[in-house]
Amino acid sequence: EAGGRIFYASDVDPEGDGEEHGTFITPEPFDGATKDDLRPFGLKEDELWRSKLSLIAGTDGNPGDAMDLFLGTSTKTQIIPLEDRKAPLWNYANELRARGFSIDYKGYSNCFRVNMKQQKENVTREDFEALKTTDVSEQGLATSVNLGCIDFYPSSSGKKNCCEYLAHHFSDVRRSADSPHSTTDDYIMKRCICLCDDDNDLEMAMACGTVFLP
């Protein structure tokens, strides 16, 4: 939701053990599917990107992450309670909880959400609106609004930053954790297109050269 994880599809060698391809995916048949549509493939996570975000998000959100649940590599019983998570992202989430906000965190490894519809009577609309404009940069965080919810995530994440990272990845310009490659918005403008549908896509949409709205 906030550009927290990146996965790449890869061809699977039917005679290999598949470990280098990450998780093995076998598509389900559907009407109109071609042979290529149903061909098994590997799904490999970009560990460099995930490691970069862990400086702010830590790793306590990883067990029970929604993507891992989908892939079958984790279960809901492994989810670490919010009060036991340690990292700047979760420290701020616990701070908001102590102030009376209800926090949506289960299934998220690199972000959490404050949903107005989930708040109790002690949190007013004014409290929620004020939270939207709260500066969280000192905590190393950024925010965006999506479907009436406020998302909090590492400032190095976000959909625009994810686009920038992917543009370099697919241009064979690799960034290491010790020596990140500096770029300008012009780089994204020339190399990225995006599909968007809500407020939290605006920063990404304004940076990309071509934007599609369904």
Side-chain angles (χ1 to χ4, degrees), residues 3-14:
R5 300 181 70 180
I6 297 173
F7 290 85
Y8 306 111
S10 61
D11 291 332
V12 175
D13 181 357

Side-chain angles (χ1 to χ4, degrees), residues 22-167:
T23 303
F24 187 79
I25 304 294
T26 302
E28 293 286 341
F30 59 92
D31 290 341
T34 66
K35 183 177 180 180
D36 284 342
D37 292 332
L38 301 178
R39 186 174 61 182
F41 62 92
L43 202 59
K44 187 76 171 179
E45 183 162 14
D46 189 318
E47 296 294 347
L48 177 60
W49 176 255
R50 190 166 191 175
S51 175
K52 175 183 177 182
L53 300 189
S54 69
L55 297 174
I56 298 298
T59 59
D60 289 338
N62 294 353
D65 175 85
M67 190 64 181
D68 288 341
L69 294 178
F70 170 74
L71 295 174
T73 57
S74 185
T75 66
K76 290 184 178 180
T77 59
Q78 295 175 291
I79 294 176
I80 296 176
L82 180 58
E83 60 270 21
D84 294 332
R85 298 188 182 191
K86 308 299 181 185
L89 175 68
W90 308 117
N91 292 343
Y92 188 66
N94 279 302
E95 178 184 323
L96 291 181
R97 175 183 273 184
R99 289 164 50 188
F101 288 95
S102 295
I103 307 298
D104 181 6
Y105 71 94
K106 292 182 179 179
Y108 298 118
S109 59
N110 294 290
C111 68
F112 68 87
R113 172 171 285 183
V114 177
N115 186 338
M116 183 61 206
K117 293 181 180 180
Q118 296 176 352
Q119 302 310 305
K120 299 177 182 178
E121 294 180 357
N122 59 302
V123 175
T124 66
R125 171 60 67 176
E126 290 72 22
D127 294 330
F128 184 79
E129 292 299 322
L131 187 60
K132 285 184 181 180
T133 59
T134 299
D135 184 359
V136 291
S137 58
E138 290 189 2
Q139 287 89 351
L141 304 178
T143 65
S144 59
V145 178
N146 177 42
L147 299 174
C149 305
I150 310 172
D151 293 335
F152 294 82
Y153 45 85
S155 57
S156 56
S157 180
K159 296 183 180 182
K160 175 190 171 184
N161 290 337
C162 189
C163 279
E164 177 186 335
Y165 182 91
L166 287 170

Side-chain angles (χ1 to χ4, degrees), residues 8 46 48 165-177 179-181 187:
Y8 306 111
D46 189 318
L48 177 60
Y165 182 91
L166 287 170
H168 283 277
H169 173 85
F170 289 112
S171 298
D172 291 325
V173 181
R174 305 303 176 90
R175 299 184 296 178
S176 69
S179 180
H181 185 85
Y187 195 89

Side-chain angles (χ1 to χ4, degrees), residues 163-173 181 183-194 207-210:
C163 279
E164 177 186 335
Y165 182 91
L166 287 170
H168 283 277
H169 173 85
F170 289 112
S171 298
D172 291 325
V173 181
H181 185 85
T183 68
T184 64
D185 287 349
D186 185 59
Y187 195 89
I188 308 175
M189 181 68 69
K190 292 179 179 179
R191 291 170 171 81
C192 294
I193 64 173
C194 76
C208 292
T210 303

